[in-house]
């Protein structure tokens, strides 16, 4: 299936798995839950950030931190949620969020892309086995308004916080 592009509608049936962040301890985690993105994204402006893997060098050093640092700027542009997805399971994504001091009341959600394989079906796979590609999309009330894929999985340019902010 071809990746979503600007102007496309966000598909029905997209589900992620997550373990909501309810405390700061990265060694403790609740049970994973299903997150119905198609339902939860309705009426919202959502930035989806896909990364090859939690705790990996590029994702940890250059991709996730700017989104955390710029969350207020994103909110000021009308963003309701920043959803970070990877092929890691929900427990790993939860721990990665906690290690990066993402709190439960922050509009950054750490999701596992293992329910509907959104990256493979509607985004860009990395070409590295089951890993997600490095890309970003902006969904505004059910419509894709931005969708860009990195030309190399080691780069953080079109999928980074600054690039997304410049398009809002």
């Amino acid at each position: 299936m071809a990746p979503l592009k600007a102007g496309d509608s966000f598909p029905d049936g997209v589900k992620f798995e997550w373990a909501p962040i309810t405390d700061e301890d990265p060694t403790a985690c609740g049970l994973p839950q299903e997150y119905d993105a198609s339902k939860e994204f309705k009426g919202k402006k959502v930035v989806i950030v896909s990364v090859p893997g939690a705790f990996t060098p590029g994702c940890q050093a250059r991709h996730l931190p700017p989104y955390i640092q710029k969350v207020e700027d994103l909110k000021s542009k009308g963003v309701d949620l920043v959803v970070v997805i990877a092929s890691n399971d929900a427990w790993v994504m939860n721990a990665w969020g906690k290690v990066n001091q993402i709190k439960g009341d922050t509009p950054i959600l750490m999701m596992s892309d293992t329910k509907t394989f959104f990256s493979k079906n509607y985004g860009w796979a990395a070409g590295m086995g089951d890993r997600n590609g490095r890309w970003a999309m902006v969904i505004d009330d059910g419509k894709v308004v931005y969708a860009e894929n990195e030309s190399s999985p080691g780069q953080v340019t079109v999928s980074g916080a600054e690039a997304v902010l410049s398009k809002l």
Side-chain angles (χ1 to χ4, degrees), residues 37-54:
S38 298
K39 177 182 168 193
E40 297 295 331
F41 291 0
K42 285 190 190 316
K44 295 179 181 159
K45 186 181 284 188
V46 179
V47 176
I48 301 174
V49 183
S50 176
V51 299

Side-chain angles (χ1 to χ4, degrees), residues 85-106:
I85 65 171
S87 59
N88 300 97
D89 68 35
W91 289 298
V92 171
M93 294 302 287
N94 176 283
W96 192 34
K98 289 177 181 182
V99 165
N100 283 281
Q101 299 175 340
I102 294 173
K103 309 275 189 243
D105 60 351
T106 304

Side-chain angles (χ1 to χ4, degrees), residues 8 10 18 34 42 47 52-53 55 70-71 75 78 92 94 96-97 104 109 111 123 138 140 142 153 160:
D8 288 347
F10 192 75
W18 75 316
E34 185 175 88
K42 285 190 190 316
V47 176
F55 295 108
K70 304 262 183 209
V71 72
K75 285 172 51 178
V92 171
N94 176 283
W96 192 34
L109 306 180
M111 300 277 175
V138 177
D140 191 353

